[in-house]
Amino acid sequence: MRKSRNYLIVGNSVAAIAAIEAIREVDKTVPITVISQEPYRAYSRSLVSHFLEGKVTIEKVFYRKKDFYQRNKVQTILGKRVIAIKPKEKKIVLEDRKRIPYTKLLLTCGSKPILPSVKGIEKKDVFTFTTWDEVKRLAKTIKKAKSAVVIGGGMIGLKAAEGLKSLGLKVTIVEQAFQILPAILDKDGSKIIHRHLKEKGIRLIINDTVLEIRGKGKKVERVILGKSGEVDCDLVVVAIGVTPNLDLVKGTALKAKRGVLVDRFMQTSVKEVYAAGDVVEAYDFLYGRKRPIPVWPLAFQQGRVAGSNMAGKRMEYRGGLILNSIEVFGLPIITAGLSAEEKGYEILTKSDPKKKVYKKIVLRKGQIIGAILVGDIDRAGIIVGLIKDRLDVTNFKDEILEENFGYIYVPKEFRAKMVLPLEVR
Amino acid sequence: MRMSLLAPEFRVIRDEEKCIQCEVCVRQCAFEVHSYDLEEGKVASDDSRCVGCHRCATLCPTQALTIIRYPQEFRRNANWPEQVIKDIFKQSETGGVLLSGMGSDKDYPIYWDHLLLDASQVTNPSIDPLREPMELRTFLGRKPDRLKIETKKGKPRLKTEIAPQLKVEVPILFSAMSYGAISYNVSLALAQAARTMNTFCNTGEGGLHRDLYRFGGNTIVQVASGRFGVHPDYLNAAAAIEIKIGQGAKPGIGGHLPGEKVSQSISETRMIPEGTDALSPAPHHDIYSIEDLSQLIYALKEATCYKKPIMVKIAAVHNSSAIASGMVRAGADIIALDGFRGGTGAAPTRIRDNVGIPIELALAAVDSRLRAEGIRNQASIIAGGGIRNSSDVVKAIALGADAVYIGTAALIAVGCHMCQKCYTGKCNWGIATQDPYLVKRINPDIATERLVNLLRAWSLEIKEMLGGMGINAIESLRGNRLRLRGIDLTETELKLLEVKPAGESL
Amino acid sequence: MKKIYVKEEYCMGCRLCEIHCLVAHSKSKKIIKAYKEEFPRVLPRLIVEEKGPISFALQCRHCEEAPCIEACLTGAMGRDKKSGAVTCDEDRCVGCWMCIMVCPFGVILRDEREKKVATKCDLCPDEDIPVCVAKCPNEALVYEEE
Ligand SMILES: Cc1cc2nc3c(=O)[nH]c(=O)nc-3n(C[C@H](O)[C@H](O)[C@H](O)COP(=O)(O)OP(=O)(O)OC[C@H]3O[C@@H](n4cnc5c(N)ncnc54)[C@H](O)[C@@H]3O)c2cc1C
């Protein structure tokens, strides 16, 4: 007799959805249960800023159609936290102490915002910008607020700043580094963004940190900076980065460093337990090592690989790279791979500050390992493709940053393989 | 720059209501007639550059373009008509020989249009080609004077050895057009169509591209005065070898492929250095007599072990019939006659328009002469130079040809619009060019299909005409001048053609 | 599934594919109207690359493992179950350009006429043959099974 099987997925975001779709491609019947502490169907995390600005309706925040779970025969437990996993017993424990057994488990519990240990961080009007609930709470507060401080000039910080600004608030960004987006952008690229932010009415304070958030009682009234005095504000958004959410993993047999460790099949150190998305540290093929890369496309790919392997169809995760696409007040920016690297590599750049265009590629032994595109991002995917394919671009590297760069510049054999597969001549 | 006195030849009319400024015309015209004016945001045209090839008008997605003759009128003058004046302007501006592409466009009589076909009524019934078999197959090559048949074990057997023959399923072959004059893609299409239709294409004097050796069984290779691309493999790859003495469009003149057209591939095929002019001398410098010709014919027969018919091609000139007789006696298995309306990639205009004679007269004369000498069976005749449609084919065969060559008609089938600018190398239709940007305009698959369609269509029409005459095999029509009648011809012309005037009964 | 392929050596760079693609995705679907009356004009959903004598049209390859679907933040990019085509639901798209970042063929375009959205080849769902293929005068584009 066949043992009764059931798959359990903790987390209900992109990695989970991709896993469900992959499982169902292989196995139409195995019972699947999805558990999330958030009381919503899967939604697009990055759309929370659009939602804040009122640019999208509630229905469009959701990542899949309403009948997704029903169509895929997925049972959902939404709005309940998992408080422990028991790999030895093959069970998980819900916040109401209920235990649910599984035959295979997938952890997609994502990342958590990093909170700095500064005085006043616990105040009610201090927000993170990573969940819908948090943004809904923020939306209510904004109605009474006139000004805000965003701590952190990363991607989420910029998104938050844009959202707040568009709702009429005076916004100051405080960034510890000498530039915004320090992890992915270089000095020249960030200069353009700095100017752009200024033009759009954002105050940017770099090379400084918030030491304290002050205000009467629970209220926020101002922040105290290390060097530049203080800034008055009615609310604070903290966006200094995220870190894999290891709450459930700590104290279990699952091996983890900064994130949960997984193999090429997204299986953790414990059999039948898989993990995918922001919670893991997977292979970064440019970096040559495992590390957490908290980006949506990789969470999808990893979820898909995990789901497929759970359902019995072998699939390999070939490794990822950092990819970011962000628009700051209408200025598009795309970065890929080791984009901020400089030393020891060949760097090609092209810039037209007037048009707010800046392009750069980082070459290592003839291969592209990083790229920055500001202002002109059309066909950026070709460059990302060249990074992934590790094509030696030496012969046409000078063309890559040209406006009309395309497949016509790559060697015919490669082009034929990639885009003209019918052509045999 | 000094002013040119030449008025444009064509006017480009752009319907502004229809023009969407998509610039297809700009991209399609190698003569740079159209250009996009950034400031105006509009496409403008320069009439003076237009050659009237209609490429732009054909590709314009909104039919916004019409090309008409430039409406400038000179004062009427029977002695000094427009073309004469323009030629003088041109030569006084350039100091050079006037050049043209394609065959003569002069208003000489076209005898095809003065010949009428017969049809059967009552006494010998006509044949319906859709119901009864109809044979267009013919064999080209030397036929024996008489056949010896022996009987072995009660079975008759042919004892006479038959000289090598070319078997064609339609009596239409593609005439010599060299790789260099036309593009590789057109050469390929001609070869593919020849194979599909069981007939032959002809390399011309440009050699045979390595990739086209696979079509050797349907290819006639030429040996011309420049001997370009001639080597043992080339000769042995072919179905037949044609010695080119002359060409209808430029009798007595050699050829000249300018160095710009001698690309790497052409240089390899022609076996000459890349970028050098390919000059074909006017005569073969080893042929100054019929005896010399015979030596070359037999040298080629030796080289190919007597397995292939050897053809000799001459331009139709005043003494064609005597020359043809000599050619047959020199050992030619097939004679190709090229009339003065035959096409070319480039010819001095004066030569093209003033030298040679019409194919109809030359063909009749040669056929008559060979018959009179009793050697007509010793060689087949292929007539070319001005065959435009299936009725021309039928009339040519009735006049004495075994088969015909078509060149211009084939090029028109693949897109040629007869602008006569072949010699510029800028053929917008991708035919008479080696420019990598332009040659792509011929997709060989499409071109092949068009050529095959043309030959199929003509075959159907030929069968219809044969059937009407109560004839069920093309070979039964050959030289059957009784089925022809002349109309609007002088007595001399009728005599030369050996046809009776329309209205005269048997 | 049937896909569009290009025979590079027969593409003559006329760009009629681009023109007819634009028309097919215009409001009126009539060429003169689409160009002269409908503003802002819709974008053609393919790219013609050109360099010297070489040219070819490139449109969405409708990848089996489509990076654009993986990367799409909103779920706008999806696969049409029936045709297998990768399609962008422009209503749901918010113009985050993740798809542009990951499309290795560079055939997703930014349509910034009104609301910013990504736009791409949809294989002309209302036609038997995509118009770019049907209108290519030299059959340099073909629509064939993989
Ligand atoms: C504002 C914002 C904008 C972003 N923009 C982009 C962008 O433009 N491009 C990009 O590539 N990436 C972006 N990201 C990052 C991207 O959202 C993440 O990489 C992606 O969401 C990771 O997906 P995931 O499935 O791994 O986990 P998450 O999306 O983090 O989801 C984790 C899930 O686990 C559940 N969960 C966690 N712990 C428990 C528990 N104990 N019990 C029950 N459920 C639990 C949560 O409720 C949630 O459903 C953005 C992130 C944010 C916050």
Side-chain angles (χ1 to χ4, degrees):
Chain A
M1 216 186 75
R2 220 159 130 208
K3 258 200 339 203
S4 77
R5 307 172 302 148
N6 78 315
Y7 295 173
L8 213 64
I9 302 175
V10 180
N12 179 29
S13 183
V14 56
I17 298 296
I20 292 169
E21 288 173 345
I23 293 170
R24 282 296 176 240
E25 274 174 30
V26 183
D27 187 336
K28 298 260 183 288
T29 56
V30 62
I32 304 176
T33 307
V34 163
I35 309 172
S36 168
Q37 64 192 10
E38 292 177 272
Y40 311 107
R41 357 202 279 262
Y43 63 91
S44 300
R45 211 160 281 288
S46 72
L47 283 199
V48 295
S49 65
H50 291 74
F51 175 76
L52 179 71
E53 293 172 50
K55 277 201 211 150
V56 295
T57 58
I58 288 190
E59 201 36 54
K60 280 189 199 145
V61 175
F62 295 114
Y63 182 52
R64 288 290 185 258
K65 294 216 178 90
K66 217 173 185 166
D67 61 354
F68 176 83
Y69 300 98
Q70 193 198 340
R71 254 192 313 115
N72 286 293
K73 297 193 210 88
V74 175
Q75 204 200 337
T76 53
I77 302 175
L78 302 181
K80 280 212 179 120
R81 212 156 63 84
V82 176
I83 55 166
I85 54 173
K86 308 271 177 200
K88 274 195 200 129
E89 300 162 37
K90 291 200 149 187
K91 281 190 177 110
I92 61 108
V93 188
L94 287 180
E95 58 185 326
D96 57 11
R97 303 286 155 189
K98 209 173 130 194
R99 289 171 175 243
I100 305 179
Y102 62 80
T103 52
K104 287 182 187 177
L105 176 67
L106 172 60
L107 291 178
T108 67
C109 36
S111 48
K112 323 197 272 193
I114 299 169
L115 294 176
S117 48
V118 300
K119 225 170 130 191
I121 192 83
E122 71 296 337
K123 284 177 181 292
K124 188 171 83 20
D125 290 341
V126 176
F127 300 87
T128 61
F129 203 71
T130 53
T131 65
W132 200 358
D133 279 341
E134 195 63 358
V135 170
K136 278 180 174 172
R137 200 167 68 82
L138 175 61
K140 276 191 211 143
T141 311
I142 284 174
K143 286 186 187 134
K144 294 171 283 176
K146 290 208 174 61
S147 59
V149 164
V150 176
I151 306 177
M155 155 143 150
I156 295 179
L158 288 174
K159 277 274 148 206
E162 182 172 353
L164 294 167
K165 180 73 199 171
S166 76
L167 291 170
L169 271 68
K170 238 180 94 184
V171 180
T172 306
I173 299 174
V174 181
E175 166 59 55
Q176 190 171 23
F178 283 90
Q179 63 167 82
I180 50 115
L181 293 167
I184 53 176
L185 218 56
D186 61 5
K187 206 167 124 207
D188 291 345
S190 63
K191 261 193 205 151
I192 292 178
I193 323 277
H194 290 181
R195 201 179 84 218
H196 186 63
L197 287 172
K198 208 167 168 190
E199 283 170 19
K200 297 294 172 183
I202 301 278
R203 186 174 169 212
L204 176 64
I205 298 171
I206 51 173
N207 185 26
D208 208 346
T209 51
V210 171
L211 297 180
E212 190 183 341
I213 304 168
R214 276 198 199 153
K216 266 197 213 117
K218 289 181 179 175
K219 272 177 63 191
V220 168
E221 284 166 2
R222 69 184 63 88
V223 295
I224 313 297
L225 303 180
K227 297 173 189 157
S228 327
E230 36 180 89
V231 181
D232 288 345
C233 60
D234 304 323
L235 62 90
V236 170
V237 172
V238 179
I240 58 168
V242 294
T243 182
N245 176 2
L246 297 180
D247 291 356
L248 293 176
V249 178
K250 277 180 198 139
T252 68
L254 267 63
K255 281 193 189 138
K257 282 184 185 160
R258 280 169 63 202
V260 177
L261 293 179
V262 285
D263 61 15
R264 284 175 303 165
F265 308 103
M266 302 317 288
Q267 188 162 251
T268 65
S269 54
V270 174
K271 245 185 110 187
E272 315 290 33
V273 178
Y274 293 79
D278 284 6
V279 74
V280 305
E281 54 177 276
Y283 188 63
D284 178 332
F285 69 79
L286 291 175
Y287 205 54
R289 250 183 292 153
K290 289 183 179 179
R291 64 162 166 174
I293 307 180
V295 299
W296 187 273
L298 297 188
F300 186 103
Q301 282 172 19
Q302 294 164 0
R304 191 171 163 73
V305 170
S308 190
N309 287 317
M310 286 168 80
K313 186 176 154 198
R314 265 299 207 225
M315 202 185 211
E316 222 177 291
Y317 180 68
R318 279 168 307 198
L321 73 166
I322 299 184
L323 289 169
N324 280 295
S325 169
I326 167 175
E327 248 195 39
V328 182
F329 292 102
L331 183 66
I333 304 161
I334 283 178
T335 69
L338 310 178
S339 51
E341 298 290 336
E342 308 253 277
K343 267 195 209 110
Y345 299 111
E346 186 181 359
I347 308 290
L348 301 176
T349 59
K350 197 177 171 204
S351 81
D352 186 345
K354 257 202 207 114
K355 286 193 188 145
K356 294 186 184 161
V357 170
Y358 176 71
K359 299 180 180 187
K360 161 180 163 181
I361 57 171
V362 183
L363 293 162
R364 178 170 69 195
K365 292 184 194 142
Q367 297 173 338
I368 310 177
I369 56 162
I372 295 174
L373 301 170
V374 176
D376 177 9
I377 59 154
D378 288 332
R379 311 197 79 192
I382 297 182
I383 297 177
V384 173
L386 292 174
I387 298 180
K388 284 189 187 161
D389 287 313
R390 303 182 164 208
L391 196 74
D392 189 326
V393 301
T394 312
N395 288 336
F396 56 92
K397 63 181 183 191
D398 295 332
E399 258 78 49
I400 296 173
L401 296 179
E402 291 303 314
E403 214 159 296
N404 63 348
F405 176 71
Y407 270 94
I408 210 141
Y409 291 97
V410 308
K412 170 135 186 182
E413 312 78 63
F414 182 76
R415 174 161 86 228
K417 195 177 96 220
M418 287 294 285
V419 293
L420 321 164
L422 261 196
E423 190 186 50
V424 269
R425 263 168 266 251
Chain B
M1 208 171 73
R2 252 189 253 173
M3 175 180 67
S4 166
L5 303 186
L6 283 162
E9 287 187 88
F10 297 95
R11 162 155 285 177
V12 181
I13 301 177
R14 181 179 299 276
D15 183 340
E16 291 296 345
E17 299 251 297
K18 286 180 160 184
C19 178
I20 55 171
Q21 323 298 340
C22 67
E23 296 180 70
V24 167
C25 51
V26 177
R27 289 186 282 272
Q28 287 300 303
C29 185
F31 294 93
E32 297 174 23
V33 169
H34 312 282
S35 56
Y36 186 74
D37 186 329
L38 257 177
E39 262 168 42
E40 297 264 328
K42 267 186 166 181
V43 178
S45 309
D46 177 356
D47 289 345
S48 69
R49 293 167 171 271
C50 180
V51 299
C53 78
H54 293 188
R55 178 76 186 180
C56 56
T58 310
L59 266 85
C60 174
T62 61
Q63 290 86 47
L65 292 171
T66 316
I67 312 297
I68 58 166
R69 283 191 49 194
Y70 199 74
Q72 200 85 306
E73 290 282 353
F74 282 86
R75 176 181 290 280
R76 289 278 153 95
N77 188 323
N79 285 323
W80 299 95
E82 180 178 333
Q83 193 56 51
V84 171
I85 298 172
K86 282 186 166 175
D87 285 349
I88 292 177
F89 283 162
K90 214 181 277 173
Q91 290 195 294
S92 57
E93 282 172 21
T94 63
V97 172
L98 293 173
L99 280 182
S100 293
M102 302 314 282
S104 176
D105 54 13
K106 285 282 168 292
D107 192 15
Y108 291 112
I110 296 169
Y111 289 99
W112 304 130
D113 295 341
H114 293 267
L115 290 170
L116 297 170
L117 292 172
D118 192 17
S120 304
Q121 301 294 304
V122 184
T123 51
N124 57 336
S126 48
I127 300 170
D128 185 342
L130 293 175
R131 287 163 204 269
E132 286 177 56
M134 184 67 75
E135 200 172 77
L136 298 189
R137 174 186 303 164
T138 193
F139 294 85
L140 306 173
R142 175 176 297 262
K143 309 292 186 300
D145 293 336
R146 58 184 59 79
L147 290 178
K148 266 195 198 137
I149 292 171
E150 60 179 11
T151 325
K152 241 188 191 170
K153 291 179 193 159
K155 276 186 188 163
R157 246 194 50 183
L158 187 61
K159 206 180 166 204
T160 317
E161 220 175 285
I162 305 286
Q165 305 283 320
L166 290 182
K167 178 171 140 190
V168 291
E169 295 295 340
V170 290
I172 305 167
L173 294 79
F174 297 125
S175 59
M177 288 178 276
S178 70
Y179 173 42
I182 57 172
S183 68
Y184 174 83
N185 287 352
V186 178
S187 304
L188 172 62
L190 288 165
Q192 290 185 146
R195 172 180 285 179
T196 307
M197 294 306 291
N198 287 308
T199 181
F200 297 87
C201 60
N202 188 316
T203 60
E205 56 181 311
L208 182 62
H209 191 283
R210 272 284 157 196
D211 294 349
L212 298 180
Y213 271 60
R214 60 200 163 107
F215 296 102
N218 292 89
T219 302
I220 297 165
V221 298
Q222 248 188 11
V223 173
S225 62
R227 302 285 150 92
F228 297 122
V230 178
H231 56 96
D233 287 354
Y234 169 75
L235 299 175
N236 282 301
I241 301 164
E242 183 174 86
I243 298 169
K244 179 198 172 183
I245 301 292
Q247 184 177 342
K250 42 179 176 178
I253 294 279
H256 178 190
L257 186 72
E260 306 89 77
K261 287 196 186 178
V262 182
S263 62
Q264 189 200 336
S265 162
I266 286 179
S267 98
E268 280 166 14
T269 306
R270 293 204 173 207
M271 296 160 47
I272 54 171
E274 200 173 328
T276 55
D277 289 11
L279 289 160
S280 308
H284 284 248
H285 285 300
D286 51 358
I287 302 179
Y288 283 76
S289 66
I290 291 293
E291 291 74 16
D292 289 346
L293 173 66
S294 190
Q295 280 201 12
L296 180 58
I297 290 174
Y298 280 92
L300 293 171
K301 285 190 178 187
E302 286 287 338
T304 53
C305 304
Y306 294 84
K307 281 194 185 132
K308 299 173 199 291
I310 305 298
M311 313 166 64
V312 179
K313 173 179 177 175
I314 54 164
V317 289
H318 307 178
N319 282 328
S320 288
S321 51
I323 298 161
S325 163
M327 282 152 56
V328 175
R329 291 169 199 282
D333 300 308
I334 301 169
I335 295 172
L337 294 172
D338 198 17
F340 83 148
R341 285 190 303 271
T344 175
T349 312
R350 293 286 167 253
I351 304 286
R352 187 192 76 165
D353 291 348
N354 297 284
V355 180
I357 62 169
I359 183 63
E360 300 91 321
L361 298 175
L363 170 60
V366 169
D367 179 62
S368 300
R369 174 78 177 251
L370 297 184
R371 285 202 221 196
E373 293 184 6
I375 54 170
R376 177 66 181 83
N377 64 303
Q378 290 181 20
S380 293
I381 301 175
I382 303 179
I387 303 285
R388 306 157 300 165
N389 51 43
S390 59
S391 55
D392 288 358
V393 177
V394 172
K395 290 169 188 174
I397 289 171
L399 269 185
D402 289 78
V404 302
Y405 262 145
I406 59 166
T408 303
L411 296 188
I412 292 176
V414 303
C416 169
H417 278 55
M418 296 297 287
C419 72
Q420 307 188 16
K421 294 289 184 244
C422 322
Y423 63 94
T424 62
K426 291 188 193 169
C427 176
N428 274 330
W429 291 91
I431 299 168
T433 178
Q434 305 304 325
D435 180 336
Y437 183 72
L438 299 173
V439 294
K440 296 187 294 177
R441 297 180 181 189
I442 291 285
N443 176 337
D445 293 339
I446 300 176
T448 302
E449 210 176 297
R450 295 182 69 98
L451 289 166
V452 167
N453 281 343
L454 183 77
L455 291 190
R456 286 224 167 98
W458 286 18
S459 300
L460 292 174
E461 291 175 341
I462 292 171
K463 287 177 180 177
E464 207 81 64
M465 287 181 259
L466 286 182
M469 289 187 272
I471 297 173
N472 66 3
I474 194 80
E475 291 190 343
S476 308
L477 180 69
R478 187 192 321 125
N480 196 342
R481 301 194 202 167
L482 285 175
R483 308 313 294 264
L484 294 173
R485 287 292 182 276
I487 187 161
D488 208 8
L489 293 175
T490 64
E491 229 165 275
T492 321
E493 286 166 328
L494 288 168
K495 199 182 106 212
L496 288 171
L497 290 166
E498 279 187 50
V499 295
K500 292 184 190 306
E504 191 175 315
S505 176
L506 271 175
Chain C
M1 120 180 229
K2 273 190 162 180
K3 291 186 179 174
I4 302 171
Y5 297 98
V6 57
K7 294 183 177 167
E8 181 180 308
E9 56 273 87
Y10 306 137
C11 172
M12 49 199 198
C14 66
R15 293 179 180 253
L16 280 167
C17 49
E18 203 175 74
I19 293 160
H20 287 290
C21 177
L22 183 155
V23 175
H25 294 93
S26 69
K27 220 157 72 217
S28 64
K29 301 198 189 305
K30 291 188 177 130
I31 184 163
I32 296 178
K33 249 193 179 161
Y35 270 86
K36 293 197 171 236
E37 288 169 33
E38 294 173 20
F39 295 108
R41 248 179 235 160
V42 292
L43 296 178
R45 289 147 182 244
L46 53 77
I47 283 179
V48 177
E49 289 199 22
E50 235 180 316
K51 184 186 135 209
I54 308 169
S55 59
F56 51 81
L58 201 55
Q59 54 290 83
C60 173
R61 309 277 97 193
H62 302 278
C63 310
E64 223 159 88
E65 297 279 333
C68 58
I69 298 182
E70 293 175 356
C72 178
L73 291 178
T74 68
M77 205 61 89
R79 192 177 299 278
D80 185 281
K81 282 266 149 47
K82 247 195 259 150
S83 69
V86 174
T87 53
C88 178
D89 181 347
E90 295 185 7
D91 200 33
R92 304 193 59 188
C93 175
V94 297
C96 71
W97 316 136
M98 292 288 282
C99 51
I100 288 181
M101 174 176 71
V102 297
C103 173
F105 303 105
V107 288
I108 304 177
L109 303 148
R110 289 190 287 165
D111 183 350
E112 305 192 296
R113 289 174 304 142
E114 293 158 26
K115 157 187 162 227
K116 294 183 175 189
V117 289
T119 186
K120 62 182 286 302
C121 165
D122 57 2
L123 287 179
C124 296
D126 304 332
E127 311 282 337
D128 293 336
I129 301 174
V131 290
C132 57
V133 177
K135 298 282 189 178
C136 175
N138 209 27
E139 290 175 16
L141 289 172
V142 291
Y143 189 49
E144 282 177 22
E145 286 297 333
E146 266 171 277

